Amino acid sequence: MSETSTTHATTLLSGKTCVVMGVQNRWSIAWQIAEAMANAGANVAITYVDDRAKKNAEQLAGTVPGMKTFVCDVSSDEAIAALAGELKAEYGSIDTLVHSIAFAPADELKNPFLQTTRDGFRLAHEISVYSLIAVARELSPIMNEFGSIMTLTYLGSTRAFPKYNVMGVAKAALEASVRYLALDLGEKGIRVNAISAGPVKTASARGIPGFSDMANAAAEKAPLGKVFGPQHVAGTAVYLATDASAGITGDVIFVDGGYHAMGM
Ligand code: NAD
């Protein structure tokens, strides 16, 4: 951890069970969050998409005592239902669900937005947006009261960034879904929020042709651009999992070193 990293008392999340979806490798935001939650005392489960990601996920989980791995491809309703069943069998109930999953076909991020295809639009929204609704519906029945659901979004939802394209439209729909899910799940005492992260070098980020420009602009213009890092995103995820954030729902919390707040 760097000297600017956020450290958490090991008791902040003790007694809580946190499920973090979307670990591809050690650079994944999901992994940063899973590790931070475990360091804060949580019992953590991570999910990965397929056999290719399995080895990484198992190796990473092996570094944290008690951490378990589960497979879940969110394009399948059966896989999501199976995950809910496996989590219930393993833990009985859970407290936190982190959705750190997105996908868009490469061509949709390479071509001009005007060339967005019907299939590309559908797939980006199915994996990056609908999946949050589906996992919230299947997993909320096993969530404890005052549970916390969170997802990862980006400023491209409200501002146009070159090459972010259909993913920006999907993030706008994701943020709207957060508000509607917060409305539905509030009566069960479950909170739903999004963390709008600044640029973090991950496998998905490398798939966005304009990523370096986005990252350079953020590093240069954000008040905290030089120090911002994934550890700060993970720190906010820990906060959203604690009871200290029990009054926050339907919100988008920016963790981008302040970039979103600047005029130029
Ligand atoms: P990542 O590639 O490490 O994570 C994306 C995850 O989505 C991977 O684990 C991948 O396997 C998973 N995924 C894709 N299709 C799936 C499917 N059908 N079923 C289950 N999982 C599937 O990249 P990341 O940057 O850590 O992305 C995590 C989240 O953070 C995404 O929602 C992304 O849009 C968001 N985000 C990233 C940044 C950034 O700069 N990296 C900034 C803001 C928001």
Side-chain angles (χ1 to χ4, degrees), residues 22 24 28-29 49 72-74 100 102 152-153 171 197 199-200 202 204:
Q24 186 70 33
S28 292
I29 291 174
V49 61
C72 185
D73 180 338
V74 295
S100 186
L152 274 297
T153 188
K171 291 303 191 192
V200 176
T202 63
S204 291

Side-chain angles (χ1 to χ4, degrees), residues 58-78:
E58 286 181 348
Q59 268 174 3
L60 289 166
T63 64
V64 179
M67 187 181 281
K68 297 219 154 34
T69 63
F70 298 85
V71 66
C72 185
D73 180 338
V74 295
S75 64
S76 157
D77 287 336
E78 293 73 28

Side-chain angles (χ1 to χ4, degrees), residues 158-235:
T158 53
R159 305 217 200 138
F161 287 88
K163 307 292 188 195
Y164 200 61
N165 293 1
V166 72
M167 193 49 79
V169 182
K171 291 303 191 192
L174 181 71
E175 291 170 18
S177 302
V178 161
R179 291 184 282 272
Y180 280 96
L181 289 169
L183 182 61
D184 277 5
L185 292 172
E187 64 186 30
K188 280 196 71 189
I190 294 173
R191 304 177 287 118
V192 189
N193 292 290
I195 298 174
S196 187
V200 176
K201 280 184 194 149
T202 63
S204 291
R206 276 193 287 275
I208 302 165
F211 178 77
S212 307
D213 293 336
M214 288 150 78
N216 292 341
E220 208 176 288
K221 302 204 168 134
L224 300 176
K226 302 261 180 310
V227 300
F228 164 78
Q231 70 275 18
H232 302 122
V233 177

Side-chain angles (χ1 to χ4, degrees), residues 33-217:
I33 291 173
E35 211 179 18
M37 287 180 167
N39 287 341
N43 193 14
V44 179
I46 58 173
T47 79
Y48 58 89
V49 61
D50 58 16
D51 279 348
R52 276 175 56 210
K54 180 179 175 152
K55 198 170 156 213
N56 280 340
E58 286 181 348
Q59 268 174 3
L60 289 166
T63 64
V64 179
M67 187 181 281
K68 297 219 154 34
T69 63
F70 298 85
V71 66
C72 185
D73 180 338
V74 295
S75 64
S76 157
D77 287 336
E78 293 73 28
I80 296 171
L83 174 68
E86 286 165 28
L87 290 171
K88 186 171 183 192
E90 181 67 36
Y91 302 109
S93 62
I94 65 172
D95 299 284
T96 300
L97 171 62
V98 180
H99 171 276
S100 186
I101 289 172
F103 178 78
D107 280 354
E108 306 297 337
L109 306 179
K110 196 169 72 194
N111 298 331
F113 177 66
L114 200 56
Q115 306 302 334
T116 302
T117 66
R118 191 180 294 274
D119 274 355
F121 185 95
R122 181 192 54 73
L123 194 54
H125 282 71
E126 181 186 340
I127 304 302
S128 315
V129 187
Y130 180 74
S131 64
L132 175 68
I133 305 166
V135 296
R137 184 175 54 241
E138 293 300 322
L139 269 58
S140 57
I142 60 163
M143 284 190 93
N144 295 322
E145 202 180 6
F146 307 119
S148 175
I149 298 176
M150 66 194 87
T151 187
L152 274 297
T153 188
Y154 180 62
L155 184 59
S157 60
T158 53
R159 305 217 200 138
F161 287 88
K163 307 292 188 195
Y164 200 61
N165 293 1
V166 72
M167 193 49 79
V169 182
K171 291 303 191 192
L174 181 71
E175 291 170 18
S177 302
V178 161
R179 291 184 282 272
Y180 280 96
L181 289 169
L183 182 61
D184 277 5
L185 292 172
E187 64 186 30
K188 280 196 71 189
I190 294 173
R191 304 177 287 118
V192 189
N193 292 290
I195 298 174
S196 187
V200 176
K201 280 184 194 149
T202 63
S204 291
R206 276 193 287 275
I208 302 165
F211 178 77
S212 307
D213 293 336
M214 288 150 78
N216 292 341

